[in-house]
Amino acid sequence: MPDPAMQEALARFASRPPEQVLADLGSSPDGLSDDEATRRLTEFGPNAVRTHAARAWPVLVRQLRSPILILLFLTAALSLFLGDVTNSIVIAVILVASVGLGFVNEFRAEQAVESLHSRVSRRAVVVRDGAARQIDVVELVAGDVVHLGLGSIVPADIRVLRSEDLLCDESILTGESLPVEKNPTPVPADAAPGDLASCVLMGTVIQTGSCMGVVVATGGRAEFGRIALGLGETQPQTEFQLGLKRFSFLLVRVAVVLTSLIFLANLVLQRPLLESLLFSLAIAVGITPQLLPAVVSTSLATGARRLAQRRVLVKRLVCIEDLGDMDVLVTDKTGTLTEGRIRFTGTMSVRPEVSDEEVAVLGLVATEADFTGGKVSTVGQNPLDAALWQSPAAAAFEPSRYAHLDVTPFDHHRRMTSVLVRDGEGTVSLVAKGAPEDLLRICIGTSDAALALLAEQFDSGARVIAVASRPAVGQKRISIADEHDLVLAGFLLFADEQKANARESLDRLEALGITVKVATGDNARVTERACADLGVISGGTLTGVQINGLSDAELGSAAEQATIFARVSPEQKARVIRMLRANGRAVGFLGDGVNDALALHDADVGISVDSATDVAKDAADIVLLEKDLGVLADGVVEGRRTFANTIKYVLMGTSSNFGNMFSAAVASVFLSFLPMLPGQILLNNLLYDAGQLAIPSDRVDEEQVRAPAHWNIGFIRRFMLLFGGISSLFDFATFALMLLVFNAGPGEFRSGWFIESIATQTLIIFSIRTRRVPFLRSRPSTGLTVAAFGVVAIGAYLPFSALGPLLGFAPLPAPFFLALAGLIVVYLLLVEFAKLFFYARVAAPPVPERRRAPSHRIGRRAAAFSVGHSGASGFRPASSGPRSRA
């Protein structure tokens, strides 16, 4: 439930004038001093709702929370109490070793997460000591004055001090899809929490406009922080993790049925109760891939390390699987297909009385930058304005000759910026700068020659910004309604070169089964020219105007066909993403600008680049440290390789474990002794699992990464029954060999089956890991080969070692190993034939419908407010920061 005290404090700030709020918080328009900000950060803690520190205890608890494991520990302790010291100690040691192995691997994976997370910074523009600077969002404190622009994730609960056409998307808190208007005007003191129009709330997104505000609540004291803390530290689950959960339920059902039958059978045969219970529980543990979480974590951590070496950072390990699952990539053009280094190349006047230099001056004064101080900062500016201010034209600009009177900032509906400016002679003018198609609609008297010149520039692939003006005598303020009857002055020209390897990267993505679509705010003809130069075969172009005229169903169908979405607003990009996802596609979005933030939030996996705006990097799940689609292709391959290697372990573990445990169940009924002692079953499982920890480093066949793979429990069940049945068949052959040929006693029988079991279930990995002929057409990694044969060697040696008698083993005659070698060869050949039969008859599994709860978005966005230590004081909801003086 919401904290009434916190809501009351926020409402109090919302109802007071901005000057009073600043005074209450001990701040000013110049912000806090560095010393005061440091003091408050120390006292009240970071602006965080998550930690990404690797902590040992939670990992250890995860290893121990299996009810079967706990029950086995208790039964072993009871066995010790009743005098079966040796067996109970052996079981305890093996269980401790198994838990320790899983703990070490999972904890190493978490350390990898911490290392990667710490390399991704999330920034906010804050005023300290009167100067604007960028700091990490977790360093914000109450009283900080913050600048927010289009697409920004609001980093704390903030009282608006000044705003320009501010609309905020609060759907993450309220579920309402329509944006909410915000402004500095105080609201009534009794306003409901949803009506605090003078505040922007943590975790919401600036949809249009900009603002300056003062932080009033951070971390767990903010409303979003309270909700995020209520969800706990657990990250939202992906399709991959949900598949693991479904698989675990399958194993639990199999284990319960098999264990219950074995236990009842042994009781009917009047075997000792404790021995029967231990054996049944050991069977239950044996059928479960104990190290599956460790294998998954190790696979993901290995993938993350490989990606980091290739200059790709993932904010959550499970994002690797999301990346591999992607089958549609929607990408912005700038910084992805192009170099992303926008250059101002010149001006073109369309009026004889206006020179090219004067067009450049009009372009400079029509930016949102404050040039009254003589020095202009490009921090937070859009790339086009930044390029203009960094050009030679800006060096010749005399800021003292002009005074900014008012501004109507850029938004993605108008696609223009308007300013009211007074020059040195006292003439007041309205100057507008924006997309030519939109600006020309409010211009008068535009000549055909100017339109032809514009078309020529579009066809050449240039990025063009139009500049227009009109007299505004006597005006002191302007609004959107004043944008009319302008006269076109000329064009500002910009260039962004295509990437040299873009075509090669697009080919790689196509080979991976990924459909590439381009969504851009740029002109359709410019985008079509850029795509044509890259050899992209277009399925058609949809413009923002056309998208607005389509229903969701119509857009979903059209978006599947179209390749280019041009002159689209941030909301339209996000809508296209949502419609593609509604069609069952796994959609990745790659963007680097503030106008890409909404689409990055709505995609299955948001991808940005290191040179992107902070807003885009904040919204992304994955950050490419190199602006290269080839690096993205590497990431996709890594995601699919991780999934493929995990499935190898699942298929091998379930089939082998099920086969061996089924054999044990049958043998326990017909033999006068247990076919394997509980400790031997657990040791078998431990050795086998330890050898499979090398799977994450295994090679993956090319065909396994050509398309996304998905969990299919039916497929796993059929695989388990077929190959588990073959495993049991050879187990029974081994039983016959031991009893009828070698007249084996209990110790020799257990030794023989232990060795055969270890050998068959370990060596089968070389067949299961590929659909090809193993070794000849698909080579395993060196690590997996060494691990597998090493485990078999250890298993074969144990009956002859000093530990053999303690473990209940007896030495075996040499002829047994010759017979065993023959059995293994026949077994592996039969598995190969069964593999051909199985895959020839298995249809591709249906792609599961993707549905994500609101908690997924909250957990994903909460990752932006994360610290790397457990002492995150931001988790203290009892304090609301510096006290109001009223």
Side-chain angles (χ1 to χ4, degrees), residues 777-848:
R777 297 189 59 227
S778 178
R779 291 189 304 111
S781 66
T782 302
L784 182 60
T785 304
V786 171
F789 283 103
V791 165
V792 173
I794 292 172
Y797 171 70
L798 276 174
F800 301 92
S801 70
L803 291 174
L806 181 65
L807 295 170
F809 293 128
L812 294 164
F816 164 78
F817 290 96
L818 293 175
L820 177 63
L823 277 175
I824 291 173
V825 170
V826 175
Y827 170 69
L828 294 177
L829 288 174
L830 182 57
V831 166
E832 284 300 307
F833 283 114
K835 189 170 69 176
L836 293 174
F837 168 83
F838 181 80
Y839 287 116
R841 286 162 175 76
V842 173
V847 177

Side-chain angles (χ1 to χ4, degrees), residues 22 59 162 257 508 763 787:
L22 286 171
V59 178
R162 187 175 70 237
V257 171
R508 286 192 62 195
L763 296 179

Side-chain angles (χ1 to χ4, degrees), residues 216-426:
V216 298
T218 61
R221 296 169 290 274
E223 177 63 12
F224 173 83
R226 182 196 62 77
I227 295 171
L229 288 177
L231 294 176
E233 288 281 313
T234 304
Q235 296 281 12
Q237 291 189 317
T238 66
E239 292 296 326
F240 183 74
Q241 292 170 310
L242 292 173
L244 277 177
K245 181 183 289 186
R246 291 192 294 270
F247 168 66
S248 299
F249 287 150
L250 168 66
L251 290 182
V252 167
R253 289 196 296 270
V254 173
V256 168
V257 171
L258 200 55
T259 303
S260 301
L261 290 175
I262 292 170
F263 183 63
L264 290 174
N266 277 272
L267 289 182
V268 169
L269 294 171
Q270 298 183 338
R271 303 267 171 79
L273 175 63
L274 187 59
E275 183 182 83
S276 298
L277 180 59
L278 277 171
F279 180 75
S280 300
L281 291 174
I283 290 287
V285 173
I287 201 173
T288 308
Q290 285 290 105
L291 295 186
L292 179 60
V295 169
V296 173
S297 298
T298 303
S299 292
L300 292 171
T302 301
R305 284 192 292 268
R306 288 184 177 181
L307 286 175
Q309 291 168 0
R310 296 178 183 180
R311 311 283 290 165
V312 179
L313 294 183
V314 292
K315 294 182 180 178
R316 295 190 298 133
L317 282 186
V318 291
C319 292
I320 298 175
E321 185 272 334
D322 282 333
L323 188 59
D325 199 35
M326 180 175 66
D327 57 15
V328 172
L329 172 66
V330 181
T331 175
D332 190 18
K333 178 170 64 69
T334 305
T336 52
L337 299 181
T338 65
E339 290 290 344
R341 291 191 291 269
I342 296 177
R343 294 181 296 107
F344 174 68
T345 58
T347 57
M348 299 185 73
S349 171
V350 298
R351 290 162 53 192
E353 68 272 22
V354 179
S355 67
D356 287 350
E357 290 74 17
E358 288 174 314
V359 173
V361 169
L362 289 174
L364 288 165
V365 299
T367 62
E368 296 177 42
D370 182 6
F371 53 79
T372 55
K375 184 178 180 181
V376 177
S377 170
T378 58
V379 173
Q381 290 195 35
N382 69 68
L384 292 171
D385 282 358
L388 185 58
W389 279 107
Q390 291 166 355
S391 70
F397 177 66
E398 300 179 35
S400 59
R401 294 192 60 233
Y402 301 91
H404 248 163
L405 302 181
D406 197 14
V407 60
T408 302
F410 179 90
D411 67 61
H412 289 279
H413 299 284
R414 296 162 41 251
R415 294 188 180 89
M416 67 182 74
T417 302
S418 298
V419 298
L420 189 66
V421 63
R422 183 176 61 237
D423 63 18
E425 283 137 23

Side-chain angles (χ1 to χ4, degrees), residues 623-645:
V623 177
L624 310 180
L625 298 184
E626 287 185 17
K627 298 182 293 182
D628 189 348
L629 284 176
V631 174
L632 176 60
D634 289 339
V636 172
V637 170
E638 199 61 53
R640 294 180 183 176
R641 189 193 66 80
T642 299
F643 186 88
N645 279 338

